[in-house]
Amino acid sequence: MNTSEKIIGIDLGTTNSVLAVIQNGVPTLLPINGQRLLPSLVGISPAGEVLVGTPARNQWVVAPDRTVRSIKRKMGRGELVTMAGKSYTPQEISAFILREIKQGAEAALGYPVRRAVITVPAYFTEVQRQATIEAGEIAGLAVERIINEPTASALAYGYGLDTDQHLRMLVYDLGGGTFDISIIELNYGVVEVLATAGDNFLGGDDFDERLANMLADEFMEAHDIDLRQDHQAWARLLRVAEETKIELSAAPFATANLEFIARDLQHKPLHIIREVSRYEFEALIGDLLDRTITCIDQALGDAKLTAADIDRVLLVGGSTRIPAVWDLVSVRLEREPHLEIDPDAAVALGAAVQAGIIAGEDINAILVDVTPFSLGIEAAEFGITGHLQIDMFIPIIRRNNTVPVQKSQLFVTMFPSQDKIQIKVYQGESPIASQNVLLGEFMAEELQPNRPDGLTEVTVNFQLDINGILDATVTERKTGKKTSAQLKASRQRLSLEEIAQSQAKLDVVYGDSRGEMEFSPLDDMVQIVDPGVAVLLDRAQKTLARPDLDGEMAAEIAGVVMDIHRATADSNNEKIEEYCDRLIDLLLEVE
Ligand code: AMP
């Protein structure tokens, strides 16, 4: 095979992103900057350098205004984010991450990579899928296929590859920011999704927040200081909450340690050193975990199955390492879940399997996917009482339909003189159109009546491709004239020109970082006049940008850096000296 045709598999996660390819027929993770998981954060350093991954994650603690995290939650919403004073679309921010992954792949493989398969949560809307494709294009990647994360997991387990198998499985995927349930049926090499359910806003980040809030509440009680109001302190709290949570997956107790988190009125430093038990943590997140079980019930109901009909349960996503998740899922589904594949890696490995299939590598499987939502249009009709009922949602493609799919339905104009209709395309399950998600709208005009009563019949055709992109076409019965739209959700949809502009914008930012580095790393904070202190802070900044820096240490260094700034603002030389000594100690420890 031509190596330039290699297609990479990317799990573009809310918290972490993972890269995998097929090597010698086997799905394999490729490191990005030496790490298996690339934190999905992007930042611009004070020197104008683009930071992606761990350096951006470290910077987020000290400079949240220069750093963006969890961009996946904003994909397809047409909302801009600000990073270091410049605004970017979510596609552009994701493109920074994808570009890093592309470069990581090229470094590992030793040749250029241009094609990718990217995974998305099953619950992503068509607009969000489209935005993901655009992000890939901006990063210079042709996105060959978008696949659902749980489907990718099943492929990673090889279940989609064994053509002699018939299995039903439930994939429970709890990551950093999203939660997905899929019930998948494997029928002799064909993977079919029977039902999906989930929550786009549920994951490990929420658990961190619960724990951080508990610590902040206790601190408020004790010292009457709300740490949530101090961006730096809150960032440190979240970081330590995550570390404590992870420790609690392995041990019944863990200690949240936040030294120098604030100062009292007398400027005395205040600390948090708080032991948390697993039991206590589980109680904090109990209702969130219960919500995941409700989703299991919903998916089983949708697929018209009971727990006994499920042959395998797969746990995917970093948060499934929490023991309570295992317990709850085992009890509800009456069987032990499978965890043979690293839950962080499963999705990317499955994306690589799909990529390998497309590239024609020697892997034997066909992937069938379904649409997670119904797609339809708004319509009105005269009820039996003669009243006009408006805002009705008429589904054309129903939820859980296998894709690609094409469906048509006949509609008639309301009035004899009506020569145009507005087609509003919605996605959702509510019978009231406006309660669903509006994907786009367009007009079919100059209609010619074909019926004796002067009304016009049209067929509305929906064609949904395997990437979830919807083409809607209205065809006039009389003339056959067609009006179509590829989901005119143009607010969120980028033109080729816009993609080129965004590419150029990224190039400029990268260009900036390659240009003259006027090194004044903390120039947007307090002016540091003492050159010795400035050099020390510069050293700290560089250390914070190191990908291998331990999270707790990063938080500690960041805290002392802030202390130095505060002491400088107060012109408290004694304190400056004390904190500088502390910073030197910390830097020596890591250097
Ligand atoms: P993912 O999106 O699959 O990479 O999952 C990331 C999430 O998993 C983050 O919220 C992590 O804090 C969480 N996570 C990773 N390891 C563990 C662990 N051992 N215990 C609990 N949560 C974890």
Side-chain angles (χ1 to χ4, degrees):
M1 196 188 64
N2 178 354
T3 49
S4 68
E5 289 305 305
K6 189 82 162 179
I7 306 176
I8 56 175
I10 300 173
D11 168 10
L12 184 60
T14 310
T15 324
N16 295 303
S17 296
V18 190
L19 161 69
V21 292
I22 299 295
Q23 284 188 316
N24 305 322
V26 182
T28 315
L29 286 196
L30 289 184
I32 311 160
N33 296 333
Q35 289 183 298
R36 293 168 68 249
L37 307 182
L38 177 75
S40 303
L41 286 92
V42 179
I44 303 288
S45 79
E49 213 176 338
V50 178
L51 306 175
V52 179
T54 305
R57 190 169 192 255
N58 288 338
Q59 177 177 276
W60 189 74
V61 183
V62 267
D65 54 325
R66 309 186 138 271
T67 320
V68 179
R69 56 179 244 160
S70 300
I71 194 64
K72 187 168 175 177
R73 289 188 162 180
K74 298 216 163 86
M75 287 298 271
R77 292 166 158 231
E79 185 185 312
L80 294 177
V81 293
T82 306
M83 176 169 72
K86 268 195 198 158
S87 55
Y88 296 87
T89 61
Q91 289 95 316
E92 287 165 354
I93 297 292
S94 293
F96 280 112
I97 300 170
L98 289 169
R99 205 161 146 155
E100 192 79 10
I101 295 173
K102 179 176 185 282
Q103 284 166 2
E106 289 172 347
L109 295 170
Y111 48 80
V113 171
R114 281 180 285 268
R115 303 166 71 194
V117 168
I118 304 181
T119 59
V120 297
Y123 257 57
F124 251 29
T125 63
E126 314 312 329
V127 175
Q128 289 170 306
R129 286 162 200 260
Q130 178 63 31
T132 306
I133 293 176
E134 289 162 359
E137 286 171 359
I138 296 169
L141 285 169
V143 181
E144 298 289 338
R145 192 74 55 92
I146 294 282
I147 60 169
N148 287 337
E149 288 159 9
T151 309
S153 308
L155 279 174
Y157 274 82
Y159 291 137
L161 304 177
D162 186 343
T163 48
D164 295 334
Q165 242 172 359
H166 175 264
L167 276 181
R168 271 202 209 100
M169 56 188 166
L170 185 143
V171 183
Y172 176 107
D173 182 349
L174 187 58
T178 54
F179 169 62
D180 280 290
I181 283 286
S182 280
I183 298 177
I184 291 176
E185 188 163 56
L186 302 166
N187 252 328
Y188 309 104
V190 177
V191 185
E192 191 174 346
V193 184
L194 300 181
T196 64
D199 192 328
N200 260 345
F201 288 87
L202 179 60
D205 295 348
D206 301 294
F207 307 158
D208 303 344
E209 221 165 273
R210 286 275 169 100
L211 192 49
N213 268 316
M214 180 192 84
L215 298 174
D217 286 344
E218 289 177 359
F219 196 82
M220 177 90 174
E221 185 93 344
H223 304 288
D224 206 21
I225 297 173
D226 189 357
L227 295 173
R228 283 163 285 233
Q229 304 306 320
D230 175 348
H231 214 115
Q232 314 273 346
W234 180 241
R236 278 183 67 195
L237 261 175
L238 285 176
R239 183 96 168 219
V240 168
E242 184 185 13
E243 284 160 5
T244 309
K245 168 191 80 175
I246 289 175
E247 255 182 86
L248 286 172
S249 289
F253 298 96
T255 302
N257 198 328
L258 287 141
E259 288 189 52
F260 300 97
I261 189 73
R263 280 169 201 289
D264 65 9
L265 289 175
Q266 284 76 45
H267 276 264
K268 228 172 74 226
L270 299 170
H271 317 292
I272 296 178
I273 295 162
R274 165 72 154 86
E275 188 183 70
V276 184
S277 72
R278 184 186 282 174
Y279 181 78
E280 204 176 1
F281 173 64
E282 286 174 2
L284 271 181
I285 63 165
D287 62 310
L288 298 176
L289 295 185
D290 286 345
R291 258 163 67 190
T292 70
I293 302 301
T294 310
C295 287
I296 294 185
D297 296 340
Q298 191 197 327
L300 283 173
D302 280 358
K304 299 192 175 56
L305 298 173
T306 65
D309 299 316
I310 302 294
D311 304 305
R312 295 262 194 293
V313 178
L314 306 187
L315 293 188
V316 181
S319 299
T320 59
R321 292 203 174 97
I322 296 172
V325 167
W326 173 283
D327 296 341
L328 280 172
V329 174
S330 310
V331 168
R332 174 62 188 90
L333 293 170
E334 300 156 19
R335 76 195 55 237
E336 297 234 316
H338 283 246
L339 252 177
E340 295 93 318
I341 294 192
D342 180 348
D344 296 318
V347 172
L349 293 172
V353 171
Q354 180 62 48
I357 294 167
I358 298 171
E361 302 203 37
D362 195 13
I363 309 165
N364 180 24
I366 311 161
L367 183 69
V368 177
D369 218 339
V370 299
T371 165
F373 293 102
S374 300
L375 295 160
I377 65 169
E378 184 199 65
E381 74 177 13
F382 288 106
I384 32 175
T385 55
H387 277 96
L388 184 64
Q389 278 185 292
I390 56 163
D391 202 16
M392 290 165 56
F393 178 61
I394 311 292
I396 294 178
I397 295 175
R398 291 207 178 261
R399 181 159 70 133
N400 286 340
N401 228 296
T402 307
V403 285
V405 57
Q406 174 167 308
K407 298 241 160 157
S408 300
Q409 207 158 311
L410 189 70
F411 291 86
V412 185
T413 50
M414 302 285 308
F415 313 103
S417 57
Q418 188 180 347
D419 65 349
K420 58 182 159 215
I421 45 174
Q422 186 180 29
I423 303 288
K424 284 186 159 185
V425 180
Y426 284 92
Q427 158 188 294
E429 309 311 321
S430 168
I432 299 163
S434 57
Q435 287 183 359
N436 294 315
V437 177
L438 179 65
L439 291 182
E441 52 187 287
F442 64 100
M443 298 292 290
E445 292 173 306
E446 294 171 13
L447 300 178
Q448 294 188 25
N450 65 317
R451 293 197 345 183
D453 56 5
L455 299 180
T456 307
E457 287 176 334
V458 295
T459 46
V460 176
N461 178 273
F462 273 15
Q463 192 167 353
L464 185 66
D465 77 11
I466 198 135
N467 292 320
I469 307 300
L470 180 71
D471 278 304
T473 306
V474 177
T475 310
E476 240 184 273
R477 284 297 292 282
K478 183 171 177 188
T479 61
K481 195 178 95 182
K482 291 184 194 303
T483 314
S484 51
Q486 208 191 39
L487 279 200
K488 294 252 266 192
S490 47
R491 198 164 40 86
Q492 288 102 340
R493 208 185 157 94
L494 300 184
S495 66
L496 286 176
E497 262 163 52
E498 286 167 317
I499 287 176
Q501 273 171 9
S502 291
Q503 278 176 335
K505 186 164 153 197
L506 257 68
D507 283 342
V508 170
V509 180
Y510 276 103
D512 282 354
S513 73
R514 281 191 296 267
E516 284 284 295
M517 281 199 200
E518 294 244 339
F519 225 79
S520 169
L522 295 151
D523 56 4
D524 51 350
M525 298 190 192
V526 191
Q527 185 70 37
I528 303 284
V529 271
D530 183 329
V533 178
V535 167
L536 186 63
L537 290 178
D538 182 5
R539 225 170 97 195
Q541 191 76 27
K542 285 185 179 141
T543 306
L544 283 172
R546 269 173 45 179
D548 58 336
L549 187 64
D550 166 70
E552 208 163 307
M553 181 54 103
E556 212 166 319
I557 293 175
V560 182
V561 167
M562 286 318 295
D563 285 335
I564 295 176
H565 276 274
R566 288 195 194 106
T568 308
D570 297 346
S571 308
N572 185 339
N573 289 335
E574 204 179 307
K575 283 284 167 203
I576 296 177
E577 209 168 306
E578 180 190 324
Y579 293 133
C580 282
D581 284 347
R582 192 168 155 66
L583 184 55
I584 290 168
D585 286 347
L586 289 173
L587 293 177
L588 283 177
E589 211 174 301
V590 289
E591 280 170 10

